[in-house]
């Protein structure tokens, strides 16, 4: 009986430690800040800039997107709300890059959140 109590006590302390390691953003604005920071980090990567320069030399513009993110931090939908003379090939390239990205957020199970973000692309 004492062993069972100690095992259950140990499991309880381990589970509480796991939840403390991954804090959940509490508000939609906090989630939006994390998503914006991740997308801007993606746009600043040299590998992204090299692909952009190779495929779309000299392209500059602004694109506003709606991005659906599930509870695991995976982008599940990408929709262009407004664009500034962006070719269709560029939108396809951008959506592939962003949908492959993982966002470091934790939401409640089976929750889906929609974020609107404006990207400024300078090549």
């Amino acid at each position: 009986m004492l062993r069972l109590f100690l095992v259950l006590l140990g499991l309880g302390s381990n589970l509480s430690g796991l939840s403390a390691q991954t804090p959940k953003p509490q508000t939609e604005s906090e989630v939006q800040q994390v998503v914006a920071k991740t997308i801007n980090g993606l746009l600043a990567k040299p590998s992204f800039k090299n692909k952009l320069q190779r495929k779309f030399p000299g392209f500059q513009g602004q694109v506003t997107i709606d991005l659906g993110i599930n509870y695991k931090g995976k982008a599940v939908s990408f929709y262009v709300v407004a664009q500034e003379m962006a070719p269709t090939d560029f939108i396809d390239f951008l959506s592939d890059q962003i949908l492959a990205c993982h966002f470091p957020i934790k939401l409640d199970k089976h929750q889906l959140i929609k974020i609107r973000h404006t990207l400024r692309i300078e090549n």
Side-chain angles (χ1 to χ4, degrees):
M1 188 69 154
L2 182 61
R3 276 189 175 168
L4 181 60
F5 177 72
L6 292 175
V7 169
L8 291 176
L9 182 64
L11 285 175
S13 66
N14 284 343
L15 291 177
S16 66
L18 288 177
S19 65
Q21 292 173 357
T22 55
K24 293 182 182 181
Q26 297 299 316
T27 64
E28 187 173 332
S29 64
E30 289 176 352
V31 172
Q32 190 165 5
Q33 289 174 357
V34 169
V35 169
K37 183 178 176 183
T38 305
I39 290 175
N40 292 337
L42 172 72
L43 297 178
K45 283 185 178 178
S47 61
F48 179 82
K49 288 187 175 205
N50 289 340
K51 286 180 190 176
L52 185 65
Q53 181 63 33
R54 204 169 356 115
K55 292 183 178 195
F56 306 99
F59 176 75
Q60 293 185 2
Q62 183 171 313
V63 179
T64 302
I65 61 170
D66 278 346
L67 192 62
I69 301 172
N70 69 6
Y71 68 100
K72 293 181 180 179
K74 172 119 177 72
V76 293
S77 68
F78 179 93
Y79 181 74
V80 176
V81 177
Q83 62 180 342
E84 205 176 87
M85 297 188 300
T88 305
D89 294 344
F90 173 76
I91 298 298
D92 291 341
F93 167 73
L94 186 63
S95 70
D96 290 343
Q97 297 294 315
I98 291 178
L99 288 173
C101 191
H102 178 76
F103 299 94
I105 62 170
K106 297 284 184 187
L107 302 172
D108 292 332
K109 193 158 186 141
H110 302 295
Q111 184 179 2
L112 181 69
I113 192 165
K114 183 180 94 170
I115 302 293
R116 181 164 288 180
H117 186 66
T118 301
L119 308 168
R120 286 176 180 65
I121 309 294
E122 296 179 8
N123 195 357

